[in-house]
Amino acid sequence: MQNPLKQITPKDIKRSLLMALWFMFLTFPIMVIKVNTITDTVEWRWINMFIVGAATFIFSHVWKVLIDRKEGRMAAAEEPEKKAEKVTLRERLEEKPAIVKTGSLVILGLAVLFPIMTGMYQTSIMITALLYVVLALGLNIIVGLGGLLVLGYIVFYGVGAYTYAILNYHFGLNFWLALPLGGIFAMALGILIAIPVLRLRGDYLAIVTLAFGEIFRIVMENWNALSFGPSGIANIPRPTIFGLDFNLKQSTNLTYYIILVFVVLTIFIVRRLEDSRLGRAWVAMREDEIAGESMGIDMGKTKLAAFALSTFWAGVAGVIFAGKTTFINPASFTMWESILVLCMVVLGGMGSIPGVITGALIITLLPEYLRAFSEYRMLIFGAILVIMMVFKPEGMIPAIRQKYEFKLNTGKNRKGVK
Amino acid sequence: MAPILDVKKLRMDFGGLRAVNDVDLHINEKEIVALIGPNGAGKTTFFNCITGVTRPTAGDVMIAPPSTGKVERVNGMKPNRITEKGLARTFQNIRLFQNMTVLENVMIGRHTRMKAGVGGAILRDRRTMAEEKQVIEDSYEVLKKLNLEQFVNELAKNLPYGAQRRLEIARAMATEPFLLLLDEPAAGMNPQETHDLDETIVRIRDTEGITILLIEHDMSLVMSLSERIYVVDYGKLIAAGVPEDIKKNPEVIKAYLGEDVDA
Amino acid sequence: MNSTYFIELFLGGLTRGSIYALIALGYTMVYGIIQLINFAHGEIYMIGAFTALIVSGALAFTGLDPVIIFLISAVVAIVFSAAYGVTMEKIAYKPLRKAPRLSALISAIGMSMFLQNYVLLAQTSDFQPFPDLIPDLKFLKPIENIMNTTQFIILATTAVVMVLFTLLIKYTKIGKAMRATAQDKIMAQLVGININKVIMVTFLIGSSTAAIGGILISSHVGQINFYIGFIAGIKAFVAAVLGGIGSVPGAVLGSFVLGLTESFGTGYISSDYEDVFAFGFLIIILIFKPSGILGKPTKKKV
């Protein structure tokens, strides 16, 4: 690879200078002037102008280098010979399934030992992260595999959480019974919402699911008799087993293992669905709905199945969430949360299980560990989303399709189906 | 014996435009029939009406699958139901599942001939696995018939153009049709590829016993391949018959060459 | 039924609808041309409001006439919002023209977060009172209990903007180019239309009208913070979809329908469920008319 610094020409410098000037102009009112209309004072922060200028100057060089590289990569992809020369780490791993298997086992082992190796605080953070992993894997079924844009996914998480909270408050329903019930209620709502919107395409579907999401939240905020409004429901019991009395640490650990089991289960099931008749129908729906219908796929059924299977996981995760926090209110189920889960799926790589998991972990854990810059973390997060999409729109770990091995010319299936 | 496809007075209106105007057409078993006409004559709309992509305004689409011989009216049915009944099609502007492998594209064609549901997918019981294995093998066989086996694990979008056209046919054949509708299968092909396609289509008919209806612009292909030809212009059927007659038909020549030429 | 109350709600609905329309124009234009839900569009509206607040605050010491200050800050705000819109397109959307559509959407979401937090950090997280610069119009005195000055100005300005906008789209060269691009991008390119320029102008105009909306509503409500763009953006987007996204008259119609629905819903039923009326109405419309009130049915091109 060439040294990127060598490629800087006077033309680039001129470009960067112009960019710097443009951004100094653009950010002038907001970065430099600060008006307080209560005390009637105006503060002029000229230093900010120079910071913006210098930062833009440097950043525009980096941007240019990255754009050039991306374009080079795209050009190379169009010439198959060049592409073939480059063996990615991914392809090398694919050739050695043993390494992948061992790697997965090591990760699983570390995950099992996590609460023991770290403290309760870390475990608690990890529970949240794993809840989002389940959510992201669930949403991935609709969005990543099925190609249907859903912007109100968090509703189903909310349904699960409220199922446990409300049924526990009124009828003393325990966690273990609530777990499947939450999933089933969420699934029922998912199907109920899906039926009228089956005809809708693309962005219309997105906005309708967003609308359902907001309606759910507002109803929960105002229907005091059912949900206790914005003040929410407190004292939801943590999960226990065998009726034992657990202290906080023990029940945190238990919650951790429950969610871990669900993560593994979700991966297992989604993995199997992917390479099944139904999974292929989902991907066909994503790729071309009309062609899929003409090849004999019942799109209505396929969409309903995607909604049902996807929303079930959100409901289950919601029950675990309620059991973990012991308190829920509508503020946990805003549109913003739905968008966050969608970001996990797309950032990680739509339709790719390892991608979606990585996306979920990064998006939940990064802000935790960026607490040092707590003020700036949302700003940085926004910028990362834009940069990632510009330079790697297919996500961090893009999906690959199942490959089958055949002895050419004999047609016998050597590996068969795993 | 009843024709396997019998279209009577098919009409399709889009707003004020009559794209298909009372067209009659029938096909007998194991025939190769072509539907030709100038651009915008309503050929693809006709296909869409038969395959359920659009619902015709009026008329009847009757099918009689050779396996049962039972006559059935299919207009208004959803495309997937019609495919299940044994009609399969390709698309003029290739519509493969771009990000799926070649094999998977064909496996999608097998969808209606499979049974596995959610439970089977998750549990992977013996029946599901046997079905899956069978589908992979069947799909591979279909690929071989169209000389696509070397691309088996390639993504559809990475295939050369001619191979993409063949994959469209393979995918349609995987649905086990008795009637295959090909929408401009030779579009964009070079003479060699067109020649190969000619042979492939005849072979599909001869060895698989699949009846073929095709829309095509390449006249040499149409004339050498088809046993009967229907000609449409402005949505109306203007001629029907064997290639020799069609070649000499003044209406057809006028439609193709414009009003000025006297034939 | 109390008719004054009815008229009050009606005018309130029209006012809301006007603001939604000013924002929805940008949504629907961008969608029509590059099929992107520009999530960050609401932030442009917020930046417009903030710029107006900052400029008028800085000019307050000059002792100029409040109306002059208002006009200057409005013009500056429009210019800056347009600049933000165009810059945003260059950075976050242009490199993604060939990428999957969801990637562009995520990029827009990222942009939205970035701009919100940028204003939050550079300015403040608190609500800021927006200066009251518009003197009361005398001729509105007799009806001030049903329509006040800012409401009148909002309605009048929106009407003027809509007329200008329609003229621009119908009769100017760039307007025709925009319509052509929305119809068929490839054909437009073949007949020599500069797509990049068309997209740039689309963002420029959309951002300007959003800024006008931002300034007007801030004068009406009297306070702003960094978060106002998100909610307004979502509502305007709902309005655009309601009318049939991609259709300019649809966006305007959808906005007024939404504004009136909300106004009457909150006025006669319950103010707690304001957003439920908006979203519920949207769902009902889309179930019966899947591409919005004026939207063309999605073409199935086979």
Side-chain angles (χ1 to χ4, degrees):
Chain A
M1 202 185 298
Q2 284 164 297
N3 178 3
L5 283 175
K6 267 187 200 159
Q7 299 165 348
I8 296 178
T9 60
K11 217 175 117 203
D12 287 338
I13 294 187
K14 201 177 138 203
R15 230 186 92 258
S16 297
L17 273 175
L18 283 174
M19 289 265 278
L21 281 175
W22 172 252
F23 274 90
M24 281 156 83
F25 161 75
L26 196 64
T27 56
F28 175 72
I30 287 174
M31 290 295 284
V32 176
I33 315 172
K34 187 169 183 177
V35 176
N36 189 327
T37 41
I38 301 169
T39 56
D40 261 336
T41 49
V42 180
E43 198 185 322
W44 297 82
R45 300 165 297 179
W46 294 104
I47 181 81
N48 283 351
M49 195 172 191
F50 295 101
I51 298 174
V52 167
T56 312
F57 185 78
I58 296 165
F59 199 68
S60 79
H61 279 297
V62 180
W63 188 271
K64 173 114 198 322
V65 170
L66 290 174
I67 284 272
D68 286 350
R69 243 210 245 163
K70 183 192 169 195
E71 272 161 11
R73 220 172 41 219
M74 273 159 69
E78 273 166 24
E79 291 168 56
E81 299 85 30
K82 271 193 192 162
K83 197 181 70 181
E85 283 168 23
K86 209 174 147 196
V87 181
T88 58
L89 175 67
R90 178 80 165 273
E91 280 159 336
R92 255 181 279 161
L93 279 179
E94 243 176 75
E95 305 223 318
K96 297 191 180 74
I99 296 181
V100 178
K101 214 168 216 171
T102 330
S104 311
L105 282 174
V106 170
I107 291 172
L108 186 66
L110 287 176
V112 170
L113 295 174
F114 189 82
I116 299 159
M117 297 187 302
T118 62
M120 201 176 77
Y121 175 70
Q122 296 291 334
T123 310
S124 176
I125 290 173
M126 198 45 101
I127 294 173
T128 310
L130 293 180
L131 280 170
Y132 278 102
V133 168
V134 173
L135 283 177
L137 283 169
L139 184 63
N140 178 48
I141 296 178
I142 298 189
V143 178
L145 296 175
L148 305 170
L149 181 51
V150 167
L151 281 180
Y153 189 60
I154 214 72
V155 175
F156 308 106
Y157 188 54
V159 168
Y162 270 102
T163 299
Y164 179 35
I166 292 171
L167 292 182
N168 178 272
Y169 184 86
H170 290 291
F171 307 107
L173 187 84
N174 78 28
F175 176 85
W176 297 104
L177 277 173
L179 209 52
L181 268 185
I184 289 166
F185 282 170
M187 184 154 112
L189 184 72
I191 294 172
L192 220 62
I193 290 179
I195 290 171
V197 301
L198 283 181
R199 288 202 301 157
L200 299 179
R201 274 156 200 276
D203 302 318
Y204 288 96
L205 179 71
I207 192 76
V208 165
T209 54
L210 184 151
F212 272 115
E214 282 303 278
I215 289 176
F216 171 79
R217 187 180 57 79
I218 298 162
V219 168
M220 286 299 141
E221 257 169 22
N222 290 292
W223 193 357
N224 288 324
L226 179 78
S227 65
F228 302 94
S231 49
I233 302 173
N235 297 324
I236 305 164
R238 292 195 169 80
T240 55
I241 32 174
F242 313 124
L244 294 169
D245 258 339
F246 276 8
N247 63 26
L248 183 59
K249 186 173 160 55
Q250 286 165 325
S251 66
T252 304
N253 285 349
L254 176 64
T255 315
Y256 176 85
Y257 287 116
I258 293 169
I259 186 67
L260 188 63
V261 167
F262 270 96
V263 168
V264 174
L265 195 65
T266 318
I267 295 172
F268 176 79
I269 289 179
V270 176
R271 177 86 197 78
R272 290 197 151 188
L273 284 172
E274 258 184 351
D275 288 315
S276 72
R277 174 172 178 260
L278 182 60
R280 284 190 299 269
W282 284 333
V283 179
M285 174 164 80
R286 179 187 78 194
E287 296 289 310
D288 190 330
E289 208 170 307
I290 291 172
E293 247 183 340
S294 293
M295 289 308 123
I297 298 170
D298 185 333
M299 284 301 164
K301 265 191 205 163
T302 308
K303 274 184 198 172
L304 277 184
F307 264 89
L309 285 163
S310 176
T311 50
F312 178 80
W313 296 112
V316 170
V319 175
I320 302 174
F321 170 73
K324 182 216 168 206
T325 54
T326 72
F327 165 76
I328 57 164
N329 71 350
S332 306
F333 311 108
T334 59
M335 182 186 351
W336 179 240
E337 296 288 316
S338 295
I339 290 174
L340 212 59
V341 180
L342 181 68
C343 288
M344 296 169 186
V345 174
V346 180
L347 198 66
M350 290 207 301
S352 146
I353 293 175
V356 169
I357 295 172
T358 318
L361 289 177
I362 287 184
I363 289 183
T364 43
L365 296 179
L366 197 66
E368 277 312 321
Y369 296 111
L370 277 178
R371 268 192 200 284
F373 317 84
S374 61
E375 282 189 333
Y376 294 98
R377 63 186 178 153
M378 293 316 268
L379 185 85
I380 295 170
F381 182 45
I384 289 177
L385 282 184
V386 174
I387 292 168
M388 264 304 290
M389 286 302 109
V390 169
F391 295 109
K392 220 167 177 319
E394 69 278 15
M396 289 183 291
I397 308 177
I400 40 161
R401 298 301 310 167
Q402 173 77 36
K403 288 194 165 67
Y404 299 90
E405 276 182 46
F406 293 93
K407 262 188 221 147
L408 290 182
N409 305 325
T410 65
K412 277 282 166 259
N413 185 345
R414 179 154 35 115
K415 190 159 88 181
V417 190
K418 289 172 294 185
Chain B
M1 203 181 133
I4 61 160
L5 175 74
D6 197 356
V7 181
K8 290 172 194 154
K9 295 248 173 282
L10 191 78
R11 178 184 291 184
M12 183 74 225
D13 292 338
F14 291 112
L17 180 81
R18 182 153 294 175
V20 178
N21 191 353
D22 296 348
V23 172
D24 287 303
L25 178 150
H26 72 273
I27 302 171
N28 299 312
E29 199 185 346
K30 294 192 184 162
E31 264 190 311
I32 297 182
V33 176
L35 177 64
I36 64 170
N39 278 323
K43 303 179 298 282
T44 297
T45 308
F46 183 81
F47 260 35
N48 289 347
C49 288
I50 297 177
T51 52
V53 176
T54 43
R55 182 191 278 264
T57 318
D60 296 305
V61 181
M62 315 293 282
I63 60 163
S67 53
T68 61
K70 261 216 304 260
V71 180
E72 198 177 350
R73 186 167 184 268
V74 296
N75 33 342
M77 270 189 196
K78 285 187 144 203
N80 54 300
R81 294 281 299 137
I82 293 179
T83 307
E84 247 170 77
K85 302 249 176 242
L87 262 62
R89 71 173 294 176
T90 66
F91 294 90
Q92 182 183 344
N93 40 351
I94 301 174
R95 297 188 80 132
L96 293 168
F97 307 116
Q98 300 282 347
N99 290 304
M100 296 177 93
T101 65
V102 167
L103 187 75
E104 281 178 320
N105 265 275
V106 179
M107 286 166 83
I108 288 288
R110 304 291 306 154
H111 188 87
T112 51
R113 311 296 168 211
M114 294 170 75
K115 289 193 184 67
V118 179
I122 296 169
L123 299 174
R124 294 206 171 162
D125 54 302
R126 196 178 293 163
R127 221 189 57 207
T128 311
M129 293 320 284
E131 182 185 74
E132 193 78 1
K133 188 161 179 279
Q134 190 61 47
V135 162
I136 291 170
E137 278 170 16
D138 293 349
S139 304
Y140 190 71
E141 287 306 311
V142 177
L143 285 181
K144 280 209 297 189
K145 281 176 197 157
L146 284 147
N147 297 324
L148 286 165
E149 69 267 32
Q150 73 267 36
F151 299 120
V152 64
N153 282 322
E154 293 281 342
L155 292 186
K157 65 176 175 191
N158 296 337
L159 253 54
Y161 185 81
Q164 293 201 10
R165 284 249 171 249
R166 292 208 303 280
L167 180 54
E168 278 246 340
I169 299 176
R171 189 177 64 171
M173 274 175 63
T175 66
E176 290 179 10
F178 63 83
L179 175 63
L180 189 57
L181 300 116
L182 305 174
D183 196 346
E184 297 198 23
M189 284 187 169
N190 63 33
Q192 179 58 44
E193 286 172 325
T194 309
H195 177 77
D196 293 345
L197 180 74
D198 187 333
E199 285 179 352
T200 309
I201 292 175
V202 172
R203 201 176 64 230
I204 290 171
R205 194 266 309 265
D206 292 347
T207 60
E208 313 290 321
I210 298 175
T211 313
I212 285 167
L213 172 61
L214 77 156
I215 293 176
E216 190 45 71
H217 274 303
D218 188 314
M219 279 306 138
S220 64
L221 181 72
V222 169
M223 292 302 163
S224 77
L225 198 58
S226 32
E227 287 145 8
R228 283 190 304 124
I229 298 176
Y230 285 86
V231 191
V232 286
D233 193 21
Y234 295 109
K236 263 186 125 73
L237 194 65
I238 58 169
V242 294
E244 289 71 41
D245 294 343
I246 293 293
K247 262 189 233 174
K248 288 180 285 195
N249 188 316
E251 285 271 339
V252 177
I253 296 168
K254 202 168 85 184
Y256 268 89
L257 299 176
E259 300 282 344
D260 300 339
V261 181
D262 241 23
Chain C
M1 207 195 296
N2 182 339
S3 64
T4 319
Y5 188 51
F6 178 84
I7 295 171
E8 200 183 305
L9 291 179
F10 182 74
L11 288 174
L14 284 189
T15 313
R16 270 170 195 260
S18 301
I19 299 299
Y20 291 154
L22 288 170
I23 311 174
L25 272 187
Y27 265 118
T28 221
M29 280 164 62
V30 167
Y31 191 90
I33 286 177
I34 54 175
Q35 281 78 50
L36 165 75
I37 305 174
N38 182 9
F39 242 88
H41 188 59
E43 313 315 332
I44 298 291
Y45 151 97
M46 179 270 293
I47 283 176
F50 253 97
T51 310
L53 175 104
I54 291 164
V55 174
S56 57
L59 289 178
F61 300 94
T62 59
L64 283 166
D65 186 72
V67 176
I68 307 272
I69 292 184
F70 180 76
L71 290 177
I72 294 176
S73 30
V75 170
V76 173
I78 292 168
V79 168
F80 272 94
S81 295
Y84 271 96
V86 170
T87 310
M88 175 168 86
E89 194 273 325
K90 287 267 180 302
I91 294 177
Y93 308 144
K94 196 175 171 209
L96 283 164
R97 293 233 183 108
K98 284 187 195 129
R101 285 184 45 207
L102 261 181
S103 310
L105 180 74
I106 300 292
S107 185
I109 291 169
M111 205 65 203
S112 167
M113 291 173 66
F114 182 86
L115 289 176
Q116 262 179 41
N117 286 280
Y118 156 71
V119 173
L120 165 76
L121 292 169
Q123 295 289 319
T124 169
S125 61
D126 303 326
F127 266 102
Q128 284 278 304
F130 198 84
D132 184 15
L133 297 167
I134 308 171
D136 284 347
L137 293 168
K138 292 224 173 57
F139 67 90
L140 286 172
K141 201 82 186 163
I143 52 164
E144 77 182 346
N145 59 330
I146 50 172
M147 176 155 59
N148 64 24
T149 303
T150 49
Q151 262 181 321
F152 174 78
I153 288 179
I154 288 175
L155 293 176
T157 314
T158 308
V160 172
V161 169
M162 292 301 154
V163 169
L164 286 179
F165 184 79
T166 313
L167 293 177
L168 179 112
I169 291 283
K170 277 235 160 88
Y171 299 110
T172 62
K173 200 174 158 207
I174 187 75
K176 285 176 189 161
M178 283 163 75
R179 280 186 292 149
T181 311
Q183 284 269 318
D184 190 331
K185 220 179 288 172
I186 294 167
M187 273 313 286
Q189 237 159 348
L190 286 178
V191 297
I193 290 171
N194 181 347
I195 299 285
N196 286 333
K197 194 176 147 200
V198 167
I199 294 175
M200 198 182 100
V201 173
T202 305
F203 273 85
L204 196 118
I205 297 172
S207 305
S208 311
T209 58
I212 296 173
I215 302 157
L216 290 175
I217 195 69
S218 310
S219 329
H220 184 59
V221 175
Q223 56 170 6
I224 58 172
N225 78 348
F226 71 97
Y227 200 62
I228 56 168
F230 191 69
I231 310 291
I234 294 287
K235 289 288 187 61
F237 178 56
V238 167
V241 173
L242 197 60
I245 196 156
S247 146
V248 172
V252 177
L253 181 70
S255 301
F256 284 114
V257 168
L258 187 71
L260 290 171
T261 309
E262 283 186 357
S263 188
F264 285 119
T266 50
Y268 284 125
I269 306 170
S270 158
S271 61
D272 291 337
Y273 288 97
E274 178 188 325
D275 291 355
V276 173
F277 300 124
F279 291 125
F281 193 63
L282 173 85
I283 293 171
I284 293 166
I285 291 283
L286 286 188
I287 287 172
F288 292 105
K289 203 140 184 340
S291 26
I293 303 172
L294 292 185
K296 280 170 248 128
T298 25
K299 246 185 273 165
K300 282 203 264 181
K301 210 170 157 78
V302 182

